[in-house]
Amino acid sequence: MPPKKGSNNLSTATLLPPSFIITKSEQIATLWSGYGSITRLHLSSSCGQPKSMRTAILKHITPPLLSSDPKDEDEDEDEDEGHRRKVISYEVERWFYTDLLPSVNYKLVAKIPTLLYAAADPSSLGCCLLLEDLSIEYPLEATWSCGCDLAQTKSVLRWLAMFHAQFWGWEGPLRTPPREEKKRRGKAGVWEQGGYWYLDTRLTEFDDTPDSRVKRAGRWVDKKLKSEGEGEGERRYMTLIHGDPKAANIVFKRGGVEECAIYDFQYVGRGVGMRDVVYFLATSVSARLLMTREGEADLLDFYYGELVKGLRLEGRGRGRGVGEGYTREVMQEHFGLCMVDWMRFMEGWGRWGNAGWVERRVEQILDEIEMDL
């Protein structure tokens, strides 16, 4: 059954404790498919917040309610898979801010918005997150029209490398794909597989996709990517990935693009770091940076160099060889697998971003893979 809108009569003021005195508010966006809103709040100086925190961003999640009277559970399965994915994603984001980040030392990571307050919304299945307003110190938005330039691209790749290094080998509670989540209880954890486009959460689209080389490779590639998390030896290549590092979720510091911040952690979860890198390059980078194999290799080399730096720092802190065995060759293999996997998603959902580059490279990658397609 399609979702039905739930009622939400709570004012912004009632969602926050009395210590936050709101002088003005302005809605700046709505969440995907009408699952809530994003509002900039202007706070009174008497709130005790530093000057840089006199405005804050309220992410108010109010998911629609599923029909309580489905006629056929099997028929309902496909229709509400997307709804459950979104609801779980906001639970994941809240847990990331409220439980995961406070438990780790994440100084190594480039900027993540500071959580000021979080609470469940008693009028719905949602919640509210009050976050630092990044536009104060990071007012420059990533360029959608022509993609990130070289300096911006390297800034984002550095952020991703530091984030991946920080959470290399992370172990903790995990959330399973939407169809499996319906059978479990508990809202703790990040996604078992980070991102929103992995195969287990796109099975309906995959089944409906016409036959192609990419589709025939789809399940094999998915199995290979999952196998990187099996066994003690291979698990060393797994980390937490952001899951959605597109231009819309990236901002840059005032006075230059040497430092960026990334937000929206709805799809943070376990995976190989190349999932984030491929997604970012495929959706948000200027096509001219990817016109040649040399340009592509230069960007991957830069990410790998930054990752190695981060892993060395992590190793000093943890007292062991973090990232041992993760060679440039291993990363390149992961790059190829993730490229094919992203093409599989586009064939079912639609092409966007640097689709021409992806299609061209995936054909070459499939030619190199030793399997009968």
Side-chain angles (χ1 to χ4, degrees):
M1 292 284 179
K4 299 191 299 183
K5 289 290 181 183
S7 62
N8 177 33
N9 299 318
L10 291 183
S11 67
T12 299
T14 61
L15 293 170
L16 303 177
S19 58
F20 290 96
I21 302 172
I22 302 167
T23 60
K24 180 183 176 182
S25 66
E26 51 186 324
Q27 182 172 310
I28 56 177
T30 56
L31 299 179
W32 190 267
S33 300
Y35 276 62
S37 61
I38 299 177
T39 304
R40 175 172 285 112
L41 304 181
H42 296 255
L43 305 175
S44 168
S45 59
S46 62
C47 293
Q49 297 291 342
K51 191 173 182 179
S52 61
M53 297 288 189
R54 295 288 168 77
T55 62
I57 301 299
L58 179 68
K59 188 169 187 177
H60 188 193
I61 298 100
T62 54
L65 302 175
L66 285 179
S67 170
S68 60
D69 184 29
K71 294 180 181 179
D72 186 321
E73 187 170 337
D74 292 333
E75 185 178 299
D76 180 55
E77 187 73 30
D78 291 339
E79 290 192 59
D80 69 7
E81 181 181 6
H83 169 74
R84 292 202 302 276
R85 183 191 308 117
K86 295 182 183 73
V87 170
I88 297 166
S89 77
Y90 291 117
E91 293 172 352
V92 165
E93 182 173 40
R94 180 183 174 189
W95 189 86
F96 175 79
Y97 277 114
T98 60
D99 292 73
L100 179 56
L101 286 187
S103 70
V104 298
N105 173 15
Y106 62 100
K107 292 180 181 178
L108 183 63
V109 181
K111 183 64 179 176
I112 292 173
T114 301
L115 177 69
L116 305 177
Y117 179 76
D121 181 348
S123 71
S124 72
L125 296 176
C127 68
C128 71
L129 299 172
L130 188 66
L131 299 163
E132 171 189 359
D133 185 354
L134 289 174
S135 69
I136 305 300
E137 294 188 37
Y138 296 78
L140 307 177
E141 297 182 354
T143 306
W144 266 107
S145 57
C146 56
C148 293
D149 62 24
L150 181 59
Q152 292 174 325
T153 297
K154 286 188 173 181
S155 178
V156 175
L157 291 175
R158 182 182 296 111
W159 190 102
L160 292 174
M162 293 297 100
F163 187 85
H164 297 157
Q166 175 71 58
F167 294 104
W168 200 268
W170 182 85
E171 297 286 350
L174 301 170
R175 305 294 298 269
T176 51
R179 294 188 183 187
E180 298 175 30
E181 277 283 324
K182 196 172 183 180
K183 305 171 185 176
R184 75 187 288 272
R185 295 182 179 182
K187 299 182 179 181
V190 298
W191 288 101
E192 183 178 62
Q193 296 182 72
Y196 63 84
W197 43 278
Y198 61 89
L199 182 56
D200 285 343
T201 195
R202 297 287 173 177
L203 291 173
T204 301
E205 293 173 0
F206 183 73
D207 290 341
D208 293 340
T209 301
D211 181 58
S212 69
R213 290 183 79 198
V214 172
K215 182 172 183 176
R216 292 193 293 275
R219 292 191 181 278
W220 180 83
V221 167
D222 179 65
K223 184 177 180 180
K224 285 281 289 181
L225 287 171
K226 286 177 180 175
S227 72
E228 295 303 295
E230 295 177 358
E232 192 63 32
E234 294 302 323
R235 190 169 295 174
R236 60 189 175 181
Y237 298 153
M238 301 295 278
T239 183
L240 289 189
I241 64 172
H242 176 277
D244 193 14
K246 60 176 179 280
N249 294 333
I250 303 168
V251 288
F252 297 94
K253 202 172 184 67
R254 188 186 301 277
V257 293
E258 291 78 14
E259 185 180 338
C260 73
I262 302 184
Y263 53 93
D264 274 7
F265 288 87
Q266 293 168 228
Y267 294 100
V268 63
R270 290 184 68 223
V272 296
M274 280 294 103
R275 275 194 185 274
D276 273 343
V277 173
V278 164
Y279 178 79
F280 170 62
L281 296 180
T283 63
S284 306
V285 168
S286 171
R288 66 181 179 81
L289 299 180
L290 302 167
M291 291 179 64
T292 65
R293 291 285 290 271
E294 291 76 14
E296 171 192 301
D298 286 346
L299 294 179
L300 294 179
D301 285 343
F302 178 81
Y303 165 84
Y304 184 74
E306 294 298 308
L307 178 70
V308 169
K309 292 177 188 175
L311 290 173
R312 285 174 181 165
L313 291 173
E314 277 295 291
R316 293 174 192 169
R318 298 190 204 178
R320 55 189 175 89
V322 180
E324 184 179 352
Y326 191 69
T327 64
R328 179 64 173 78
E329 290 72 27
V330 171
M331 189 192 77
Q332 189 68 40
E333 179 185 354
H334 291 174
F335 171 78
L337 293 171
C338 290
M339 286 285 284
V340 176
D341 200 44
W342 175 248
M343 189 67 224
R344 182 268 311 157
F345 167 75
M346 286 203 300
E347 286 192 350
W349 189 85
R351 288 161 169 75
W352 64 299
N354 294 315
W357 168 69
V358 175
E359 291 182 61
R360 183 176 67 254
R361 288 292 286 117
V362 164
E363 283 298 314
Q364 296 168 349
I365 291 166
L366 289 176
D367 287 340
E368 296 168 2
I369 292 178
E370 296 181 2
M371 61 176 296
D372 184 11
L373 298 176

